[in-house]
Amino acid sequence: MNKDPLKHDTAEPCLDARIRTKNEWDALTPAEIGLFNRNVVCRTYDAGRVIFGQGDQCRGLYIVERGLVAVRKVDENGLSAIVRLAHQGDTLGYRPLLAKENHRATAEVIKDSRICFADAPIMHRLLLSNPQLGMRFLEHTAQALGEAEERLFQVAALSVRTRIIHILILLRSHYGKTTSDGTLYLDMPMSWRDLADMIGARPESVSRTLRDIKDDGLINLNGRKVRIDRVDRLVDELHHSVHH
Amino acid sequence: MNKDPLKHDTAEPCLDARIRTKNEWDALTPAEIGLFNRNVVCRTYDAGRVIFGQGDQCRGLYIVERGLVAVRKVDENGLSAIVRLAHQGDTLGYRPLLAKENHRATAEVIKDSRICFADAPIMHRLLLSNPQLGMRFLEHTAQALGEAEERLFQVAALSVRTRIIHILILLRSHYGKTTSDGTLYLDMPMSWRDLADMIGARPESVSRTLRDIKDDGLINLNGRKVRIDRVDRLVDELHHSVHH
DNA sequence: CGCCAGGTTGATTTCGCTCAAGCAATGTGG
DNA sequence: CCACATTGCTTGAGCGAAATCAACCTGGCG
């Protein structure tokens, strides 16, 4: 626990933790890791904080060491949508850095997080000195593009109910625990309001639809804790699911 | 004009045309351009042809030398959505190639096109020999990700009417001509049915909504030709637009 | 304590989908 | 050259999912 959420803390080398989780960074040589660690700045953020804002210039790259961050888009009419979540080990701000654009979205902390920042000059230096790193990012970005297109398809074609079920299944890997008897316990990290923003729906619709799913006996609700006795029945519904 | 749409035609060096249009390929050295041109295979495709299909293994990269290609996703329930358009100079299939996945979508020709194919081994050889090329692709992919997230937001939050207006404005750069008196002439390249698939709506809804917009005096329709006397009024509506 | 944000619920409306029919343009085979 | 499918588009009627508007409840917090 860090008492002061604003205190920089460069003593702890971020990449040591990261490197274990097999992502783009393991392309770096020991010397590059040293360079990285000397220049990276880490701090903790409380839930609700904003890491960078839509329209801001992109100053560098953020790595989520722990916690959860939502990437949100808001338009001039106040319409809001969460386009991506960043979990432990995920990188934030690489899209505008690589596309040489300003931030097109706001990154806001959902669960208290520890975030490492690497500024743009360092990143460009590393990318130049180690093409492998670029290839890793390329692969990663290409996968992210695939996921974005997948979600595009889903939001365009599927009902709120189906989209909620999708999210539940999706968050299983990060926030779910399956007991020996096959029961799945999901501890949802975000508010229902944010869930609504993730699937492009109103909070009221999410509330009602969750109740419907519960009434159908597919899930049990207790605050943000979801118990799913028969995951297979949920998955079934996805495959037989209907239009809007 | 090419009489035989199936005839391969490697004599014409594809990259010469491409290199002029300032894209990722201008990172290549003359020697690499030679290597590329010796290995690339070009042919023409009539409208309606499929270049590659959803689920297919990714064999390489396609470059649209001229024409128009739609990237379409179809799910098991027959729901269909166009997730991207590829215009002249755009590259197809780079996402699965770089993400090392199979094709997640079908590429179908909308307007008669000439497409150049570079197989995966060549691409990997070029990417290895010239890291700059990878950086260009990285930049490009990051931009594509930004656009996908933008569209994600729109489909999640905006009405069919607003989405149609968005597309009209978007296609302005490729298919629009503005006369001296400020009137915009848009020659829509795809059927209304395909437009519906692009915005996640039914053809009937598109038809009705286009009529509504016409009745409001914002556009004039004549087949696939759209005349917009006051572009600013269309743009205005985007900024005051309402939810779903 | 009062305040407020998050959440629930109800009543009502509306947007967009479904189903169905019809029409014009294009193509095809006899 | 006509009869006929076929395809893209339009329009109408009806319906249903989800949004809107509004009230109210809850727990956390200054």
Side-chain angles (χ1 to χ4, degrees):
Chain A
M1 276 295 148
N2 210 319
K3 288 135 280 172
D4 179 1
L6 286 172
K7 190 175 141 237
H8 286 179
D9 178 4
T10 51
E12 213 174 297
C14 296
L15 216 44
D16 281 5
R18 293 296 90 246
I19 209 125
R20 283 194 305 262
T21 71
K22 184 163 166 349
N23 57 18
E24 42 267 305
W25 302 106
D26 61 1
L28 296 187
T29 65
E32 287 163 343
I33 293 176
L35 173 67
F36 182 94
N37 279 336
R38 274 191 305 281
N39 285 281
V40 83
V41 177
C42 299
R43 44 167 292 201
T44 57
Y45 291 75
D46 292 338
R49 292 234 173 211
V50 167
I51 301 174
F52 54 78
Q54 199 165 333
D56 290 358
Q57 190 198 349
C58 178
R59 293 179 212 287
L61 206 79
Y62 300 82
I63 301 136
V64 181
E65 193 176 315
R66 60 174 162 73
L68 178 64
V69 178
V71 180
R72 181 190 298 273
K73 269 177 173 295
V74 181
D75 83 349
E76 57 261 58
N77 306 310
L79 300 173
S80 162
I82 292 175
V83 295
R84 192 157 25 106
L85 290 181
H87 301 97
Q88 179 173 96
D90 287 346
T91 310
L92 280 169
Y94 67 95
R95 198 207 56 74
L97 181 79
L98 301 170
K100 295 169 178 151
E101 297 173 352
N102 284 352
H103 287 292
R104 284 210 213 171
T106 300
E108 55 185 58
V109 176
I110 298 288
K111 296 175 72 159
D112 294 359
S113 299
R114 184 177 165 81
I115 313 275
C116 304
F117 172 75
D119 68 22
I122 283 293
M123 283 313 303
H124 286 127
R125 206 167 134 192
L126 285 172
L127 284 169
L128 230 64
S129 82
N130 189 337
Q132 263 305 308
L133 181 65
M135 285 304 290
R136 295 299 180 90
F137 267 103
L138 187 44
E139 194 176 325
H140 181 182
T141 309
Q143 273 162 5
L145 181 56
E147 280 153 32
E149 290 180 347
E150 193 68 42
R151 290 195 52 205
L152 188 56
F153 178 81
Q154 288 175 11
V155 176
L158 305 179
S159 68
V160 165
R161 174 166 175 138
T162 309
R163 282 178 271 162
I164 288 182
I165 295 179
H166 245 287
I167 294 276
L168 293 179
I169 305 291
L170 203 73
L171 291 179
R172 180 184 181 177
S173 56
H174 279 94
Y175 304 99
K177 278 222 163 51
T178 307
T179 61
S180 54
D181 62 345
T183 303
L184 172 63
Y185 289 87
L186 258 182
D187 199 352
M188 299 292 284
M190 79 286 288
S191 65
W192 295 146
R193 165 173 292 279
D194 284 341
L195 176 62
D197 282 342
M198 288 184 64
I199 65 170
R202 302 275 113 193
E204 300 97 316
S205 298
V206 169
S207 179
R208 280 186 246 275
T209 307
L210 278 170
R211 179 167 47 74
D212 289 345
I213 301 175
K214 175 163 69 87
D215 290 348
D216 290 348
L218 291 173
I219 60 174
N220 289 74
L221 291 174
N222 186 0
R224 290 187 187 170
K225 291 192 196 304
V226 186
R227 179 165 58 83
I228 306 172
D229 297 318
R230 299 279 309 276
V231 182
D232 54 326
R233 287 214 280 154
L234 266 194
V235 176
D236 275 359
E237 187 173 320
L238 286 189
H239 299 317
H240 308 146
S241 64
V242 197
H243 345 62
H244 251 203
Chain B
M1 276 295 150
N2 210 315
K3 287 135 282 174
D4 180 0
L6 285 171
K7 188 175 144 235
H8 286 179
D9 178 5
T10 51
E12 212 176 296
C14 296
L15 216 43
D16 280 4
R18 293 297 90 248
I19 210 126
R20 284 193 305 262
T21 71
K22 183 165 166 351
N23 59 17
E24 41 268 303
W25 301 106
D26 61 0
L28 295 187
T29 65
E32 287 164 343
I33 292 176
L35 173 67
F36 182 93
N37 279 335
R38 276 192 303 283
N39 285 280
V40 85
V41 178
C42 300
R43 45 166 292 199
T44 58
Y45 291 75
D46 292 337
R49 291 232 174 212
V50 168
I51 301 174
F52 54 77
Q54 200 165 334
D56 289 358
Q57 189 199 348
C58 177
R59 293 179 213 286
L61 207 79
Y62 300 82
I63 301 136
V64 181
E65 193 176 315
R66 60 175 161 73
L68 178 63
V69 178
V71 180
R72 181 190 299 275
K73 267 177 175 296
V74 181
D75 83 348
E76 58 260 54
N77 306 313
L79 300 172
S80 165
I82 292 177
V83 295
R84 191 154 27 105
L85 290 182
H87 301 97
Q88 179 174 96
D90 287 346
T91 310
L92 280 169
Y94 66 95
R95 199 206 56 75
L97 181 79
L98 300 169
K100 295 168 179 153
E101 297 174 353
N102 284 352
H103 287 292
R104 284 210 213 172
T106 300
E108 56 185 55
V109 176
I110 299 287
K111 297 174 74 156
D112 293 0
S113 299
R114 186 177 163 80
I115 313 275
C116 304
F117 172 75
D119 69 19
I122 282 293
M123 284 313 303
H124 286 128
R125 208 168 132 192
L126 285 171
L127 283 169
L128 230 65
S129 82
N130 189 336
Q132 263 305 308
L133 180 65
M135 286 303 291
R136 296 300 180 92
F137 267 105
L138 187 44
E139 189 178 336
H140 182 179
T141 310
Q143 276 163 3
L145 180 56
E147 280 151 32
E149 289 181 347
E150 190 68 42
R151 294 195 49 207
L152 187 56
F153 171 80
Q154 289 176 10
V155 176
L158 305 179
S159 67
V160 165
R161 175 167 174 136
T162 310
R163 282 178 269 161
I164 287 183
I165 295 179
H166 248 287
I167 293 274
L168 292 180
I169 305 291
L170 201 74
L171 292 180
R172 180 183 181 176
S173 55
H174 278 94
Y175 303 100
K177 277 223 163 50
T178 307
T179 60
S180 54
D181 62 343
T183 303
L184 171 63
Y185 288 87
L186 258 181
D187 199 353
M188 298 293 283
M190 79 286 288
S191 65
W192 295 144
R193 165 173 292 278
D194 284 341
L195 176 62
D197 283 342
M198 287 185 65
I199 65 169
R202 300 277 114 195
E204 299 96 318
S205 299
V206 169
S207 178
R208 281 186 244 274
T209 307
L210 279 171
R211 178 168 48 72
D212 291 345
I213 300 176
K214 175 163 68 87
D215 290 348
D216 290 347
L218 291 173
I219 60 174
N220 289 74
L221 291 174
N222 186 2
R224 288 186 188 171
K225 291 193 196 302
V226 186
R227 179 165 59 82
I228 306 173
D229 297 318
R230 299 279 309 277
V231 182
D232 55 326
R233 289 213 281 155
L234 264 195
V235 176
D236 275 359
E237 185 172 321
L238 286 188
H239 299 318
H240 308 147
S241 64
V242 196
H243 330 62
H244 254 202

